[in-house]
Amino acid sequence: MEKRETFVQAVSKELVGEFLQFVQLDKEASDPFSLKELLDELSRKQKEELWQRLKNLLTDVLLESPVDGWQVVEAQGEDNMETELGSKMRKSIEIIYAITSVILASVSVINESENYEALLECVIILNGILYALPESERKLQSSIQDLCVTWWEKGLPAKEDTGKTAFVMLLRRSLETKTGADICRLWRIHQALYCFDYDLEESGEIKDMLLECFININYIKKEEGRRFLSCLFNWNINFIKMIHGTIKNQLQGLQKSLMVYIAEIYFRAWKKASGKILETIENDCIQDFMFHGIHLPRRSPVHSKVREVLSYFHHQKKVRQGVEEMLYRLYKPILWRGLKARNSEVRSNAALLFVEAFPIRDPNLHAIEMDSEIQKQFEELYSLLEDPYPMVRSTGILGVCKITSKYWEMMPPTILIDLLKKVTGELAFDTSSADVRCSVFKVGHILELVDNWLPTEHAQAKSNTASKRRVQIHDTRPVKPELALVYVEYLLTHPKNRECLLSAPRKKLNHLLKALETSKADLESLLQAPGGKPRGFSEAAALRAFGLHCRLSIHLQHKFCSEGKVYLSILEDTGFWLESKILSFIQDQEEDYLKLHRVIYQQIIQTYLTVCKDVVMVGLGDRQFQMQLLQRSLGIMQTVKGFFYVSLLLDILKEITGSSLIQKTDSDEEVAMLLDTVQKVFQKMLECIARSFRKQPEEGLRLLYSVQRPLLEFITAVQSRHTDTPVHRGVLSTLIAGPVVEISHQLRKVSDIEELTPPEHLSDLPPFSRCLIGIIIKSSNVVRSFLDELKACVASNDIEGIVCLTAAVHIILVINAGKHKSSKVREVAATVHRKLKTFMEITLEEDSIER
């Protein structure tokens, strides 16, 4: 009792120090004193006395230190704060902050039967000084702002004034800060907006700030922000038009991902509106979006964003009452006109909206009227399929398939069959537009048609049983494997279409894979029977189908990789087929016969190697697969004449060299064995190219120049990932051996010693050496490793004899003349010099013995 009385009495000019101490204790979490609890315990008389004392103290403080002077003190800077005037101001602000804290706590204990006139006067005074407070007094501003919000929420007298003050302050601060706290607080008092008279001049600043909210990302992304924005539509009809204009002007700069939020704001505003406000939102906003969705050019950056807004409303019709009727009413005057427009792009845009919003109907119509309306829309759908503009037909195709899959139960059977026959029987063969044909093969019926058009190993009886959700269309056209392959390739090549294809039932995908695999038998017969006709595919189609079979098997392996090597084993079987059926056949044939079938077997090999390279590159091929691939590569080099595969083979060696570090499950021995095989394949390949140089120098030179890029990439991969390992040294030894052998061969043909001139430039070397050394000197790291290996080869007598050592000197001279000069050159030159000196001493000694 004594503490309560002491607190009440402390609220005075004379005891202001004690009053401030009480308030400070309430702020300290460690102190048991609670201002709220104390106020709860006060009697009615004590509360009324307290509020009167608060009013008197507030009045006295403001009379002694008027607010007008505070702005002057702050403007004069921090030095002036130390003066008597500045000190008095600081003390006044401290007292006013304490008074505000007590008033704020008092709001929760006000009883209607109590006389809180003095408290009301305090609130009015504080509300009045809020705008005049210096910018630095954020703490006091925030406290008074909280008081205004609380007073508004309590619905106490003069709440309109406090609500307007809090609204403006929170609105301004929410636009200045990035945190969402002020947006949430503003939403709590959003009804205060309606206290402002829209038509008064003082509301001009409010309008500008409110419109700025519609282009503020924080408002758009935050739930409370979107609620706030949607409620602004209810302020005034004219303001709705300003809001819509602001949003439209900003659409181009907004991210597409934000459009769902923009649509949500419009939808919430529409849902809560009534009367003239509702009419304005529908006619000036939603219908305006509909108009622009139809008439904006597709290339406009705004078009897709308008579509996003409309899509939101289309999806809401399934879950919100009234949306379907609204869409029917607003689309009626513009959509059907758009579908008949002269401009083809307008028709196409209208078709997109029509298909997405289908069925566009008024649920209040009687059954007969409803049936008539839907029948008209089916006729419109059929008209889209016959439109002269390909983009409209494509949209119609996608629409028909989407609508028939969703609404087949409500469609008359004759209409359903007519629509699907039009799509699959005519538009699938639309010769005027590839896009139209491809649109057919973007939809759940295409895989069945492709299967029907592809030849199969065994003729299968076609089931006449209609599925529960689909009408069977009996296509009387003959088998069209070429067209089927075009569509399968289209589906596999484009990522989105590929996703659709691979999402088909597994059984159907396996059936398609099996149908494509029949190409192998046709390719065998084409190779083995000159002039014979294949059973299912033509030569070009068989090669295309074989490629698609290989590619599809890998896409399926990627999709179902968690189940093991189910589809990778199919590619492995293809590799075995290549060995046993193709390479073994080629090995036994005469050169003239092979020339006639060169295109077939070369393309088979290229296709297989290309797909295998991709398998390794994406990490699907394990060590066993890579080892089998390398072994088959050796078989290809031993069997096939020509070097059409060299570039592919180098890419494969590069990918395996890189992926060998990724396979964590392999043992060191397995990795070493794999890399040893890589080196052997590379050596074999370089030997084959070197032989071609001797037989056909010009062709060999063209070949080597054509593979410079993959050869450099392979050498660089080995250099960067396997330095100082057996594969690194093996590859470098192979690169050394080629030039040494060629230059030595050239030196032996020299009959006169005067013709021996050391090379000064790369161009002075013979062609094979010139190509290889030219690739090596592109990288300083490779040059250093190459010289180290050359030094080791000389020191270990792998390069011996005066001719071979002279060839090594020629290589050193060319490298030293290049841009990557290295100290290694001096070291290897010294090693060669020592060997030559030793060789001369032995030669002189032998001559002396002979004499």
Side-chain angles (χ1 to χ4, degrees), residues 82-333:
E82 303 302 322
T83 65
E84 183 181 347
L85 190 61
S87 178
K88 184 182 286 188
M89 180 191 107
R90 212 165 45 246
K91 188 68 174 179
S92 299
I93 289 174
E94 185 182 4
I95 296 169
I96 293 171
Y97 176 73
I99 292 170
T100 306
S101 300
V102 177
I103 295 173
L104 187 56
S106 297
V107 175
S108 61
V109 298
I110 292 175
N111 194 304
E112 289 184 4
S113 62
E114 296 167 345
N115 180 7
Y116 55 90
E117 190 68 29
L119 194 66
L120 173 60
E121 288 186 44
C122 287
V123 171
I124 292 171
I125 292 170
L126 290 170
N127 183 55
I129 70 167
L130 181 58
Y131 290 106
L133 289 176
E135 190 64 28
S136 60
E137 298 306 323
R138 288 292 180 92
K139 185 179 174 183
L140 180 56
Q141 281 181 352
S142 181
S143 185
I144 297 176
Q145 204 168 272
D146 288 342
L147 174 60
C148 291
V149 170
T150 308
W151 197 266
W152 163 268
E153 289 177 335
K154 275 293 228 177
L156 298 169
K159 72 167 188 174
E160 290 80 9
D161 292 331
T162 60
K164 286 167 71 174
T165 299
F167 188 91
V168 172
M169 297 295 288
L170 285 170
L171 178 59
R172 183 176 289 120
R173 209 161 73 183
S174 69
L175 291 170
E176 293 171 354
T177 61
K178 292 186 178 180
T179 60
D182 290 320
I183 294 175
C184 295
R185 296 170 76 192
L186 185 60
W187 165 242
R188 280 168 50 195
I189 62 164
H190 70 276
Q191 292 287 341
L193 170 67
Y194 308 120
C195 297
F196 292 93
D197 188 332
Y198 178 83
D199 295 317
L200 289 180
E201 190 175 341
E202 66 178 14
S203 298
E205 184 187 6
I206 299 291
K207 292 175 193 174
D208 292 339
M209 286 194 290
L210 290 175
L211 291 175
E212 191 178 340
C213 293
F214 283 92
I215 59 175
N216 186 295
I217 299 298
N218 294 329
Y219 272 90
I220 295 171
K221 285 187 173 181
K222 197 162 186 65
E223 171 71 16
E224 291 82 359
R226 295 194 296 277
R227 289 181 182 276
F228 177 74
L229 295 177
S230 66
C231 83
L232 298 183
F233 284 77
N234 283 318
W235 188 23
N236 187 279
I237 288 173
N238 293 321
F239 195 55
I240 295 173
K241 297 172 184 177
M242 294 177 72
I243 290 171
H244 188 57
T246 300
I247 291 175
K248 283 205 303 181
N249 288 338
Q250 295 300 320
L251 280 182
Q252 184 168 348
L254 284 176
Q255 295 175 1
K256 195 176 179 182
S257 59
L258 296 177
M259 292 315 299
V260 68
Y261 297 141
I262 298 294
E264 181 189 326
I265 292 165
Y266 277 101
F267 182 73
R268 279 180 167 163
W270 172 82
K271 193 171 60 173
K272 292 178 181 177
S274 59
K276 290 289 185 183
I277 296 285
L278 176 62
E279 189 179 317
T280 305
I281 291 173
E282 287 186 346
N283 296 336
D284 291 7
C285 302
I286 300 173
Q287 199 170 54
D288 185 53
F289 276 131
M290 291 174 172
F291 178 85
H292 285 96
I294 292 170
H295 291 276
L296 272 175
R298 287 275 181 95
R299 64 181 177 276
S300 166
V302 176
H303 181 264
S304 63
K305 295 172 183 177
V306 172
R307 286 271 320 280
E308 288 289 322
V309 174
L310 293 172
S311 293
Y312 186 90
F313 278 87
H314 297 160
H315 290 116
Q316 289 298 323
K317 74 176 184 177
K318 302 170 188 173
V319 292
R320 298 286 183 181
Q321 192 174 1
V323 178
E324 198 168 29
E325 183 276 331
M326 178 268 289
L327 290 173
Y328 172 79
R329 181 164 38 82
L330 298 185
Y331 267 132
K332 193 171 183 178

Side-chain angles (χ1 to χ4, degrees), residues 54 317 508:
L54 287 169
K317 74 176 184 177
K508 289 185 178 179

Side-chain angles (χ1 to χ4, degrees), residues 492 498 501-503 506 509-510 513 548-574 611-612 614-623 625 663:
L492 275 180
R498 184 165 63 238
L501 175 66
L502 297 177
S503 63
R506 185 101 169 255
L509 291 170
N510 288 337
L513 194 64
L548 291 171
H549 169 72
C550 295
R551 286 167 58 192
L552 179 58
S553 66
I554 296 313
H555 285 300
L556 291 173
Q557 175 63 34
H558 185 260
K559 182 175 177 65
F560 301 107
C561 59
S562 60
E563 299 178 21
K565 293 168 57 176
V566 179
Y567 293 99
L568 188 63
S569 61
I570 293 175
L571 189 61
E572 290 173 344
D573 291 342
T574 299
V611 174
C612 288
D614 293 340
V615 170
V616 178
M617 186 170 64
V618 299
L620 288 176
D622 58 11
R623 184 201 57 79
F625 177 86
Q663 304 286 344

Side-chain angles (χ1 to χ4, degrees), residues 572-587 608 628-636 639:
E572 290 173 344
D573 291 342
T574 299
F576 178 74
W577 170 81
L578 177 68
E579 273 184 335
S580 59
K581 300 291 185 181
I582 305 300
L583 295 183
S584 63
F585 177 77
I586 292 173
Q587 203 166 17
Y608 172 74
Q628 288 178 351
L629 176 57
L630 291 173
Q631 297 292 352
R632 288 199 180 101
S633 300
L634 286 169
I636 289 170
T639 306

Side-chain angles (χ1 to χ4, degrees), residues 704-705 708 711-712 715 735 739 761-763 765-779 782-783 786 811 814-815 818-820:
L704 203 54
Y705 275 118
Q708 278 192 324
L711 181 55
L712 176 62
I715 295 169
L735 290 170
H761 306 287
L762 182 66
S763 57
L765 293 179
F768 186 60
S769 305
R770 184 165 66 243
C771 289
L772 288 183
I773 300 300
I775 291 169
I776 289 163
I777 61 175
K778 289 181 184 292
S779 165
V782 174
V783 167
F786 181 85
I811 294 171
V814 169
I815 291 176
K819 62 179 180 179
H820 296 301

